[in-house]
Every structure is written in C-alpha cells, then in structure tokens.
Amino acid sequence: MRGIALFGKIRFLDTTLRDGEQTPGVSLGMDEKLAIAQGLDALGVDVIEAGSAMTSEGERLSIKAVADFGLEAEICSYVRALATDIDVALGCDVDSVHLVVPVSDLHIQCKLKSDRKSVINKAVEVTEYAKDHGLIVELSGEDASRADQDYLVSLYKAGIEAGADRLAFCDTVGVLVPEVTADIFSRLSQLGAPISVHCHNDFGMATANTVAALRAGAAQAHVTVNGIGERAGNASLEEVVMALESIYKINTGIKCQDIYQLSRLVSRMTGLPMAPNKAIVGENAFTHEAGIHVHGLLADTKTYEPMHPETVGRKRRIVLGKHAGRASVELALREFGILASEQQLAQIVVRVKELGDKGKRVSDADLQTIADIVLSIQM
Ligand code: KIV
Ligand code: ZN
C-alpha cells in the first residue's frame, strides 16, 4: 500500500471503478475492473475506489479480486453510514472505506428523511464501527457545496473525534466555482485531518475547482480516467495531473507517459468514446491542420502546443484539409519520400485545398494521388 494521507504530497483517489462506472449504461465485469485497477496502480494513484460493496454479489467479487491482487495502491469501497455496508466491505478485503453521508438540508430532508443531528450521530457510530474493524475511513460529505458550511464543519469534527483518517468534500452537482472552492478549502484544510476534493463537471469546472482546492490545502483529489462519471462526469485524472505538472510545475508522482494508454483501455472497456476535442486524450488534442500553426510548429513546437505529446504517451499528428499550408503539405510529402519543386508544391497545395473545400479531410492516399498527378505534369 502507498500509505495513508501525507500532508505535503498531493494524493489521488481514482474513482473510475465506482463513480466512473455510475455513468449511465456502463457496467464493468471483474476482468475489466482488474485490468483498469492494474493500469491505475502502474500509473501511481494512491487509492483505487474499486466499487460499492453493497451493490451486488458480482460487484463484491470484483472488489475482492482487486483487493486480493496485491496492488500497491490502497483499495477502497464506497459505503453508506450503515454497519451492514461496513460488513460487506470487510468481506471484500478492502483497506479503506469511502463513508458517505448527505450533508445538505436538501439531501438530508428529501432523500434521507432525516435531520442534521441524526446524520452526525450515524456518521460517528459507523466511523467508530469501521475503525474498530481495522479500516481506514474517509468520511465524506455528499452535496457539501450546497450544505450549511458550519454544520459541515461540526460533522467533520465529530468524525475526526470518532477516528476518521481523512475527510472528503463532494461538489455533487458541480456548482462550485474556483474562487469559492479556494475559500472553502482554506478553511477545511485547517481541521486536523487531510481533506479530499470530489468535483463534478456539470458546468465544465471540475478540473479548475479541483486544482483550486489542492492549491488551497486539499490533500487528495478524487478523479476518474477520461473524466467519466454521472451526468457530465467527474474531474478528469489526466486534466488535473497535467495542469499540476505542466502549469504549476508540481511533481505529482504520476507516470504521465502511461496516461494515454490507460485512457484508451478505459474507453474500450466502458464503451465510452472520447470527444475529439477532449483535453489531453481526445483525438485532436495533438493534431494540427491549420497552415499557420504547422508553420509555427516546424519552427518550435511550443508555438502551438502547451506540452509535448510524448509527455502523455502520444504523438503529434499533422492532417491536411482546406486549412493546410505549404509547410504542412511539404512535411507530409517528405514523410512519403516525395520531393517537389516550389512550383509543384504550390500546385499540390492548391489541389489539397480544393479537396478540403469539398468538406473532406485529405487522406494519405489522396495526397499521394495528387502528388503523382502534379509530378507527372511537366513544369
Ligand atoms: O458526487 C458525489 O456526491 C459522490 C458521493 C456519493 C461520494 O460521488
Ligand atoms: Zn461523485
């Protein structure tokens, strides 16, 4: 195991196998969970939330298989504040539980039909029960971003008293903004236990909020590969890690060069394709067509790439279409070993653009045909 929370080092709890699997239509079997868990472990995440032990017998077998595989990461199950949930998690041999209680009045009253005091009592009782049975406990507030923050603090304090090792704050419906996130985590990081940030992407701010929380003192980020998860998904592992590494120059300890391979594996196993413009792992994230950009890239890749594609296990791709220019066409021709004169190159560019104007991406075969035609004309 990579050990329990350490102040100072940013930790990652990956919930691809729990919150990610809650994506509508996704169901992962044991072999798939094991393969993804191995990939996550090799990548270097600290905690793998392998599922929710109370969900089904199949889920329990999968969690147990992950827990018994001997990975370095801490293996965790999601549980509610019920002793019976702790019992089934124990049966799966997990190291820890992500013990979740609703904390907003909306959730406490509408969903749980309970009251604030009873929620604290239950959280304390089940935290003590889990600790008595040797589990690491991460006590988590669901819908924390819409909760009364003073109530939330009293719940967290009661949880720490009861033995909780870590706390978690869930922006369940993705309504945080970075400046509010920073204020919240500046306060919560003073409570005496490491706190995790768990963000959803309903307004496209999960990554920004997660990074803001970490910069304000959060010790651990909850993330999923490819940002998969309920509705618009969770904070994406690859985005949070690369923002920290590339923009803030923080060494996360994650093996970034393996990110793309794991992204492909998760996409295949969940059946969830990536949008072409998805940051870091989308098909177009390191693909260039525009002539001006390719011209710049040939001089220095930093002109139009904020990071080297190889950093995340990818390659740069130059494609041809109506935005192509001399530089990109010449580069593509060179890759086929075709040398064209200035005049021929100009002709090829014109024909590439003509094809592009018809709404086509110009394939390798198209380019070769164009080049054959132009080069066979005497100039
Ligand atoms: O987003 C959320 O609130 C959650 C909790 C149930 C942990 O995923
Ligand atoms: Zn969630």
Side-chain angles (χ1 to χ4, degrees):
M1 243 201 322
R2 290 202 165 84
I4 59 163
L6 294 170
F7 288 108
K9 177 204 175 291
I10 292 175
R11 289 167 44 99
F12 293 92
L13 178 151
D14 183 277
T15 181
T16 305
L17 301 180
R18 197 277 299 170
D19 224 347
E21 202 203 14
Q22 284 174 218
T23 303
V26 173
S27 171
L28 298 167
M30 185 195 292
D31 289 347
E32 293 158 334
K33 284 213 176 197
L34 254 181
I36 294 172
Q38 284 175 262
L40 288 166
D41 193 55
L43 200 69
V45 305
D46 300 277
V47 187
I48 297 173
E49 190 173 27
S52 312
M54 75 293 205
T55 301
S56 68
E57 185 53 25
E59 177 82 338
R60 284 189 278 283
L61 291 172
S62 297
I63 297 172
K64 188 165 160 40
V66 172
D68 291 345
F69 201 78
L71 300 175
E72 219 180 305
E74 174 187 313
I75 308 301
C76 174
S77 171
Y78 168 98
V79 293
R80 299 163 297 180
L82 295 170
T84 47
D85 276 21
I86 302 295
D87 292 337
V88 287
L90 284 165
C92 299
D93 298 339
V94 293
D95 304 302
S96 64
V97 285
H98 178 202
L99 199 173
V100 181
V101 290
V103 288
S104 67
D105 288 333
L106 181 69
H107 275 233
I108 291 173
Q109 288 159 17
C110 297
K111 194 177 82 170
L112 215 56
K113 311 273 182 249
S114 185
D115 58 77
R116 290 182 178 192
K117 182 101 195 61
S118 309
V119 169
I120 292 188
N121 290 344
K122 207 69 197 140
V124 165
E125 182 191 318
V126 179
T127 297
E128 285 172 347
Y129 184 76
K131 289 308 298 174
D132 286 347
H133 288 79
L135 290 164
I136 297 168
V137 174
E138 180 157 332
L139 176 62
S140 188
E142 183 181 13
D143 203 23
S145 45
R146 294 189 295 179
D148 176 315
Q149 297 298 296
D150 290 335
Y151 169 68
L152 182 63
V153 166
S154 48
L155 174 115
Y156 283 152
K157 283 184 172 164
I160 294 170
E161 281 273 293
D165 302 276
R166 304 190 292 261
L167 309 169
F169 178 106
C170 297
D171 182 22
T172 302
V173 291
V175 292
L176 281 181
V177 292
E179 55 280 20
V180 173
T181 309
D183 284 348
I184 290 172
F185 280 85
S186 303
R187 181 180 183 202
L188 297 181
S189 57
Q190 306 300 317
L191 290 179
I195 183 149
S196 297
V197 57
H198 178 110
C199 291
H200 280 269
N201 205 31
D202 298 72
F203 291 91
M205 283 190 279
T207 297
N209 288 329
T210 301
V211 171
L214 292 168
R215 302 223 344 117
Q220 181 168 271
H222 287 197
V223 289
T224 61
V225 176
N226 298 339
I228 64 170
E230 305 226 21
R231 306 181 310 282
N234 288 57
S236 113
L237 181 150
E238 61 277 8
E239 291 175 16
V240 173
V241 167
M242 292 318 296
L244 293 170
E245 293 264 350
S246 265
I247 301 173
Y248 291 100
K249 310 292 178 212
I250 293 170
N251 180 359
T252 60
I254 294 291
K255 292 199 185 68
C256 301
Q257 67 278 11
D258 293 344
I259 281 178
Y260 188 57
Q261 202 185 350
L262 184 59
S263 159
R264 299 303 311 142
L265 180 80
V266 169
S267 178
R268 244 189 353 268
M269 295 199 156
T270 55
L272 298 171
M274 287 297 91
N277 63 336
K278 167 75 180 69
I280 318 286
V281 293
E283 192 192 333
N284 289 349
F286 298 98
T287 301
H288 310 270
E289 177 182 321
I292 298 171
H293 285 208
V294 176
H295 185 71
L297 284 164
L298 288 174
D300 187 337
T301 57
K302 285 201 284 295
T303 51
Y304 289 104
E305 283 176 351
M307 68 191 102
H308 291 300
E310 293 76 14
T311 320
V312 291
R314 303 203 60 179
K315 285 197 162 47
R316 177 176 308 113
R317 237 163 45 95
I318 309 288
V319 297
L320 300 178
K322 81 169 192 185
H323 302 107
R326 289 174 74 92
S328 42
V329 173
E330 191 177 6
L331 188 70
L333 289 173
R334 231 187 286 152
E335 275 173 20
F336 294 122
I338 300 171
L339 283 177
S341 68
E342 285 295 304
Q343 244 184 324
Q344 287 166 332
L345 183 59
Q347 266 303 307
I348 295 171
V349 172
V350 168
R351 291 181 187 228
V352 163
K353 283 177 177 288
E354 274 169 11
L355 207 53
D357 265 336
K358 292 184 183 133
K360 272 200 73 179
R361 191 178 253 195
V362 180
S363 68
D364 291 352
D366 292 331
L367 180 66
Q368 276 173 313
T369 309
I370 292 172
D372 285 347
I373 294 167
V374 171
L375 267 69
S376 69
I377 300 170
Q378 215 62 305
M379 287 190 169

